[in-house]
């Protein structure tokens, strides 16, 4: 297993949508293990393959305290969205920034598991929000896109500056 590098906003590679996964070979299984390890190490509650510069429609999520209940979504599809609520979101690709975002309260989705088996899932609360956030990643969308241009620019400038400073010292 290996830790993967998470791309940070405003890296343009985060904008490349993931492509549909069609084979469930060893490469995909290893990628899922590495994504889980990376998410747990940061730590985070969700990670999309596009965040680690792999343009495949794969998402891992784990909301459990013990970090032992991973949810793997391959080629996830939103079937239904219901209600609306605002809650504070962050993102591993936008480190250090948390903003209030509107999402649907409940969602039902379909996806394939890591063995390629089809399933449907109904989610509410944090899981519903997390699923919507991660599926956005697969489409090249980040939570900062829902903010005002002013707020988004401020975050982009701060993260850009941080990246340049890091590049200078390393
Ligand atoms: Ni994110």
């Amino acid at each position: 297993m290996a830790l993967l590098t998470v791309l940070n906003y405003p890296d343009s590679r985060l904008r490349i949508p993931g492509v549909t996964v069609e084979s469930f070979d060893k490469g995909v299984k290893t990628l899922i293990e590495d994504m889980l390890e990376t998410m747990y190490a940061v730590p985070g509650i969700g990670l999309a393959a596009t965040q680690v510069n792999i343009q495949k429609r794969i998402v891992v999520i784990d909301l459990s305290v013990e970090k032992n209940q991973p949810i793997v979504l391959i080629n996830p599809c939103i079937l239904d969205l219901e209600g609306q609520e605002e809650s504070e979101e962050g993102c591993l690709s936008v480190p250090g920034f948390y903003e209030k975002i509107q999402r649907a309260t409940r969602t039902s989705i379909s996806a394939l598991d890591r063995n390629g088996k089809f399933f449907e899932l109904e989610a509410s609360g944090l899981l519903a929000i997390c699923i919507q956030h991660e599926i956005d990643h697969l489409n090249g969308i980040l939570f900062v896109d829902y903010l005002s241009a002013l707020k988004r620019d401020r975050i982009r400038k701060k993260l850009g500056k941080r990246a340049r400073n890091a590049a200078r010292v390393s």
Side-chain angles (χ1 to χ4, degrees):
M1 294 211 287
L3 288 180
L4 306 167
T5 303
V6 178
L7 300 176
N8 277 358
Y9 178 72
D11 195 311
S12 59
R13 290 172 290 180
L14 287 165
R15 300 306 190 177
I16 309 171
V19 299
T20 302
V21 176
E22 277 166 6
S23 72
F24 294 81
D25 53 18
K26 199 160 174 284
V28 166
K29 288 192 174 134
T30 305
L31 171 62
I32 291 165
E33 290 305 320
D34 290 346
M35 284 174 65
L36 282 167
E37 194 186 356
T38 303
M39 177 182 75
Y40 291 139
V42 177
I45 57 172
L47 184 69
T50 50
Q51 289 180 274
V52 291
N53 198 26
I54 292 174
Q55 284 73 39
K56 288 185 195 294
R57 300 188 79 79
I58 302 176
V59 160
V60 295
I61 293 172
D62 194 336
L63 303 181
S64 70
V65 178
E66 298 81 14
K67 304 290 175 205
N68 59 2
Q69 287 167 51
I71 299 171
V72 176
L73 305 176
I74 300 176
N75 305 337
C77 232
I78 290 182
L79 305 174
D80 196 24
L81 293 168
E82 251 184 81
Q84 215 172 47
E85 71 176 88
E86 197 179 60
S87 63
E88 201 162 75
E89 277 183 40
C91 177
L92 297 183
S93 294
V94 191
F97 292 90
Y98 299 88
E99 296 287 345
K100 287 216 157 115
I101 303 291
Q102 284 229 339
R103 300 274 187 194
T105 313
R106 287 174 299 282
T107 183
S108 51
I109 61 157
S110 68
L112 304 177
D113 71 11
R114 61 178 99 192
N115 299 311
K117 193 168 167 254
F118 178 89
F119 67 99
E120 289 186 0
L121 178 68
E122 280 185 26
S124 59
L126 183 56
L127 181 58
I129 290 164
C130 194
I131 286 172
Q132 292 169 74
H133 177 117
E134 299 308 331
I135 290 178
D136 269 357
H137 274 302
L138 299 182
N139 296 322
I141 298 166
L142 303 173
F143 86 89
V144 295
D145 299 343
Y146 298 109
L147 303 174
S148 68
L150 188 74
K151 271 191 180 174
R152 189 168 52 248
D153 277 359
R154 201 177 296 152
I155 293 173
R156 187 171 46 77
K157 281 182 189 143
K158 280 187 188 163
L159 283 176
K161 195 174 169 193
R162 220 186 272 169
R164 282 191 300 277
N165 286 340
R168 208 170 296 144
V169 295
S170 63

